[in-house]
Amino acid sequence: TMTADIVGVWQALFGSINSRVPTLLVGHSMGGALAVWAAATKQIPGLEGVVVIDVVGGTALAALPHMMGVLHSRPVMFQSLQAAVDWAVRSGMCKNREMAGVSLVSQLVQSTAGDGGKDVWTWRTPLAASRQYWEGWYTGLSDAFLALPVPKVLLLAGTDR
């Protein structure tokens, strides 16, 4: 599972160190849910806290039926990073160009498309492929977050519409 992957990466990086490595898990949206579940395994020695951004179990569960529609409304590829930024602002995904230019870059990868061999930008993560796990990521999340035996922060961004 992705939670086991998070723990495994931590262990690969720090598992051989004999002293306690202070660790703070931070995640946004689905990443926030995974940070909670990774912390809940109690397999990360030195865990000092957990920060989750824009994820609340009940709200996330209520939104799941609409997620495939959201994913289907995204373009599959962009001819340029500028085209991706333009789409992000036009669609309301980002409120301003500067923020879109910063946040979108890490979500896209450059690849060669079609017979013409032209470079395009596609989504880094095929989110729809993880659909079967979505409900499990969020079911019981609020209780798991509150039960964590470390300091925790929940950040909920307001809309600027």
Side-chain angles (χ1 to χ4, degrees):
T1 67
M2 292 176 81
T3 299
D5 290 345
I6 292 168
V7 172
V9 167
W10 188 94
Q11 290 173 344
L13 291 171
F14 306 113
S16 64
I17 298 173
N18 291 331
S19 62
R20 191 170 184 268
V21 178
T23 302
L24 176 67
L25 291 179
V26 179
H28 171 257
S29 190
M30 178 191 79
L34 294 172
V36 169
W37 294 121
T41 67
K42 300 180 180 165
Q43 294 180 29
I44 299 177
L47 183 63
E48 296 286 334
V50 176
V51 177
V52 295
I53 305 165
D54 282 342
V55 61
V56 176
T59 304
L61 283 168
L64 288 182
H66 309 286
M67 276 306 298
M68 287 309 292
V70 170
L71 294 179
H72 287 305
S73 70
R74 299 188 321 176
V76 174
M77 69 180 82
F78 301 97
Q79 298 302 316
S80 67
L81 282 177
Q82 185 58 50
V85 168
D86 292 344
W87 170 81
V89 173
R90 192 173 53 253
S91 71
M93 178 182 172
C94 296
K95 300 300 176 204
N96 67 61
R97 291 189 182 287
E98 182 179 4
M99 198 259 301
V102 171
S103 67
L104 226 50
V105 173
S106 65
Q107 297 177 50
L108 300 171
V109 293
Q110 195 170 20
S111 60
T112 303
D115 297 330
K118 185 176 181 183
D119 283 347
V120 295
W121 294 87
T122 59
W123 297 102
R124 177 179 305 276
T125 305
L127 292 176
S130 64
R131 182 181 186 183
Q132 64 186 0
Y133 305 105
W134 293 352
E135 191 172 332
W137 288 336
Y138 300 111
T139 300
L141 180 65
S142 294
D143 289 338
F145 177 72
L146 293 172
L148 293 175
V150 295
K152 46 205 151 289
V153 175
L154 170 62
L155 296 174
L156 299 173
T159 59
D160 60 348
R161 295 179 191 175

